[in-house]
Amino acid sequence: MTFSTIPLIGLRADHFRHPLDLQATNTLKQFPGLDLLVRQLLGGVGEQFFYLENIASSILVSDQQLPHLHQLLLEACKILDLETPSTVYSPKSCSQCLYLCHAGKTALYCDSYLAD
């Protein structure tokens, strides 16, 4: 069975967000500086710890390591009109998949349950 793919050029998160989530986000945006304050309070140490812990205990996905998973990632990013993030595969199962941005670098974390 073959599937046809349709590139989703210009797709944004707002296109498929739940209306209540979008409403809550817009309400929070009405408070100038709130996002900066939250990032300063929660982001620095916790975000860096999470980033380093995941990088240290995971396998970097590339054309040389887990090439099949890397190829699937390239295809998905092409369809979703996204730049390809660095991707790591983790044998842990704390979350199936998450996408982070740390210090301007994007990373996608996939656990073994999702990849298998």
Side-chain angles (χ1 to χ4, degrees), residues 42-64:
L42 302 176
V45 175
E47 190 175 280
Q48 185 162 358
F49 171 79
F50 183 76
Y51 176 79
L52 293 173
E53 194 272 330
N54 277 289
I55 292 296
S57 63
S58 302
I59 301 166
L60 182 65
V61 176
S62 69
D63 57 347
Q64 297 174 350

Side-chain angles (χ1 to χ4, degrees), residues 27-73:
T27 300
L28 289 173
K29 286 180 180 178
Q30 294 177 5
F31 298 99
L34 181 63
D35 59 334
L36 183 61
L37 177 66
V38 171
R39 259 187 263 146
Q40 291 295 324
L41 291 174
L42 302 176
V45 175
E47 190 175 280
Q48 185 162 358
F49 171 79
F50 183 76
Y51 176 79
L52 293 173
E53 194 272 330
N54 277 289
I55 292 296
S57 63
S58 302
I59 301 166
L60 182 65
V61 176
S62 69
D63 57 347
Q64 297 174 350
Q65 296 186 119
L66 302 169
H68 178 68
L69 189 58
H70 181 66
Q71 186 60 39
L72 290 173
L73 174 70

Side-chain angles (χ1 to χ4, degrees), residues 4 8 12 19-20 39 41 43 49-50 52 55-57 61 66-67 71-72 76-77 82-83 87 96 99-100 108 111:
S4 62
L8 303 172
R12 294 188 337 252
L20 293 176
R39 259 187 263 146
L41 291 174
F49 171 79
F50 183 76
L52 293 173
I55 292 296
S57 63
V61 176
L66 302 169
Q71 186 60 39
L72 290 173
C77 287
L82 296 172
E83 291 183 28
T87 304
Q96 290 187 345
Y99 189 80
L100 281 187
L108 178 68
D111 77 9

Side-chain angles (χ1 to χ4, degrees), residues 50 53-54 57-58 90-98 109-114:
F50 183 76
E53 194 272 330
N54 277 289
S57 63
S58 302
S90 174
K92 300 178 296 178
S93 61
C94 57
S95 63
Q96 290 187 345
C97 188
L98 64 112
Y109 299 94
C110 296
D111 77 9
S112 58
Y113 288 120
L114 181 66

